[in-house]
Amino acid sequence: MSPAFLLRRLLLAVPTLFGVAVVVFVLLRIVPGDPIAMMVPGEATPEDIARLRESYGLDKSIPMQFVIYLDHLVRGDFGVSISLKQDVLTLVLGRLPATLELALVAITLSVTCGFTLALASTYWRGTWIESGVDAINSIALAIPEFLWAMLLILAFAVLMPLFPISGRIDPMRATAFATQFYLVESLVRGQFGLARELLGHLALPALALALPLIAVIARVLKSSLQEVMVQDYILLARIKGFSNLRILTREALPNALLPTITLTGVHFIFLVGGTVLVELIFAYPGIGNMLFGAASNRDLPLIQGVTLVFALLFILLNIAIELSYALVNPRLRH
Amino acid sequence: MILDIENLRVSINAKGTRTPVLRGAHLQLEQGKILGLVGESGGGKTMVCKAILGVLPESARIESGAIRFEGRDLLAMPARERRGLLGRSIAMILQNPMTALNPVFRIEDQMTDVLRLHAGLDRAQARARALEMLTAVHIREPERVLRHYPHELSGGMCQRVVISIAFSCSPRLIIADEPTTALDVTVQHQILRLIRELQRKTGTSVLFITHDLGVVAKICDSVSVIYAGRILESGPVERIFSSQHHPYTQALLDAAPRYDRPDTALHPVSPELREQLAREAEEFDRRVDREVAHA
Ligand SMILES: Nc1ncnc2c1ncn2[C@@H]1O[C@H](COP(=O)(O)OP(=O)(O)O)[C@@H](O)[C@H]1O
Ligand SMILES: [Mg+2]
């Protein structure tokens, strides 16, 4: 993969982000609801409201507001949250690591489980293992992530209280961290007790996010593997005398990766989008949860900030997916 | 006798019905010789190879017979032991070189993996041996070819690589399934000559499969003619080309291009002969079914 390609993709992100900024800005001005009315106490006078409106720049015309917004944006100023009275960028960056850790654990879980299921059902083709995997897949696919979230809470937090229902960590212990990447930091420092607690909190939300993607990966990888297994080069590998396991994992799997990444790539983006609802359900302090709070308070600058960060995440994820095509296919490397 | 196939019957399950694809095949390959197995496409030649190697499709079933390799019946051998022969004692050259190599690995990896598994070589030794083998199949700049991926090589080059993989562990039997069919005519001659040359040098026994009697005349010591899963005729090459033989063999001879006399007309196998052969095959199946029912 050439650096030029990477640069071009990153530059292309700029107009995309601009487009997102426009659409979100316009949409937020169209939908009813007044942020100022929601924040002022009942006894406020019309003058008070007008003054507040002016201080947030909401008294100007919409095009003028947009120009000012853009002007601030290109200087790295995302504005000030109306409901939380803090710098939007600081707020978003403070919460982003929690969401990234959740998404990362969910993606790792999806890939590990999806691959294991696909490989196992190909290796034991035609046995009960294959039928079992197919059944699990159908169930996992039929239920969306937020429903999984509820079911998992019911099963593993209420009926069998194995995992905490909500939050990221006991707030008393959160002070121990120097960064917001709690999980990464605790692992780097070798504080495995803390890491275990964090993972305990992550388990159910990550699983809820992962289940649909596990099913998608397992299904797509399994069918690509079956296509690959009848190819001539697999026959040659068998004739070379390699074991079935080696043929499956070392000869067939690398060839099955490309169609799998192509067909599942967009689902990774769905997963990141799914964090909004799942964070809300598990009261997990990430940007998804913050977005929900911002939306119910009509906190326009905060909504715009979180949306832009999500858009940026999606774009970066897309580029990562494209990079991985080249990684698994020698024909695309030039 | 390095390979002795006796009364091999294989059927394939296609949409619920069992169709015989090999109807009692007999083959005898002598140590150090090249046996040609010749017949039209669909005759069951590839099935014979896959049966020997134990890589028949899942829908296929061996009904009866024996495949003796160096006197031991492969069909009665434990699966593990049988697989142990593959790559080490028995190797194969596939029909289509462009699909025979794994597209995601460099040639080096695909040549050295088998050497490291069977010959117990380390990475450097295996690489040295791979270079040696590429030189033996007349590839110039073998160093460069090792670094390539299969899609960067021509069909002829890929086939040379596949041939060098087959010969690299000094197997005692090589099965070549129409190794030149997918190649350009000029390349076909080079590859044929190469297989003959390597066979002479190493003394490996070769089961050479083709649909072209002209090719058989060039490189084989003996030949068996297969049609619809039956061996119609077997014998030394000279006899097949000179004397009285089965009408199908004659038809194949008439259909084969004469490299010595390019102006002679080609005669395809006649429909009447096909019908007669089909009748014979059916009768054969019925007879076998009766025998099985009696037994
Ligand atoms: N996987 C398969 N499933 C069903 N029938 C097959 C399969 N492979 C081969 N056959 C049938 O078996 C017969 C012999 O095929 P094959 O051995 O490939 O012939 P040849 O190599 O002589 O061209 C053909 O009639 C073919 O249609
Ligand atoms: Mg064939």
Side-chain angles (χ1 to χ4, degrees), chain B residues 12-14 19-22 39-48 50 57-60 95 177-178 209 226:
Chain B
I12 276 208
N13 190 353
T19 328
V21 286
L22 293 181
E40 285 170 292
S41 150
K45 307 185 293 296
T46 300
M47 283 296 150
V48 172
K50 292 189 171 171
E58 275 169 31
S59 55
Q95 177 166 348
D177 187 5
E178 308 205 36
I209 288 159
I226 188 170

Side-chain angles (χ1 to χ4, degrees), chain A residues 18 27 39 57 117 220 243 263 325:
Chain A
F18 178 79
L27 272 181
M39 65 188 287
L117 290 179
V220 173
S243 69
L263 291 171
Y325 293 161

Side-chain angles (χ1 to χ4, degrees), chain A residues 224-308:
Chain A
S224 333
L225 277 172
Q226 282 175 354
E227 252 164 58
V228 170
M229 287 302 278
V230 299
Q231 298 296 315
D232 270 359
Y233 52 83
I234 297 299
L235 181 63
L236 187 66
R238 290 171 76 183
I239 295 165
K240 280 175 169 177
F242 295 155
S243 69
N244 288 339
L245 189 63
R246 173 173 177 162
I247 290 173
L248 181 62
T249 55
R250 294 198 8 210
E251 303 281 332
L253 183 59
N255 283 284
L257 283 182
L258 184 70
T260 306
I261 295 173
T262 317
L263 291 171
T264 59
V266 68
H267 292 269
F268 285 85
I269 293 176
F270 293 164
L271 183 149
V272 174
T275 56
V276 175
L277 273 180
V278 168
E279 283 182 6
L280 183 70
I281 294 170
F282 287 93
Y284 183 86
I287 54 173
N289 209 339
M290 191 161 72
L291 178 64
F292 192 82
S296 31
N297 289 319
R298 302 273 170 227
D299 189 339
L300 302 182
L302 192 53
I303 298 176
Q304 285 162 184
V306 176
T307 326
L308 274 184

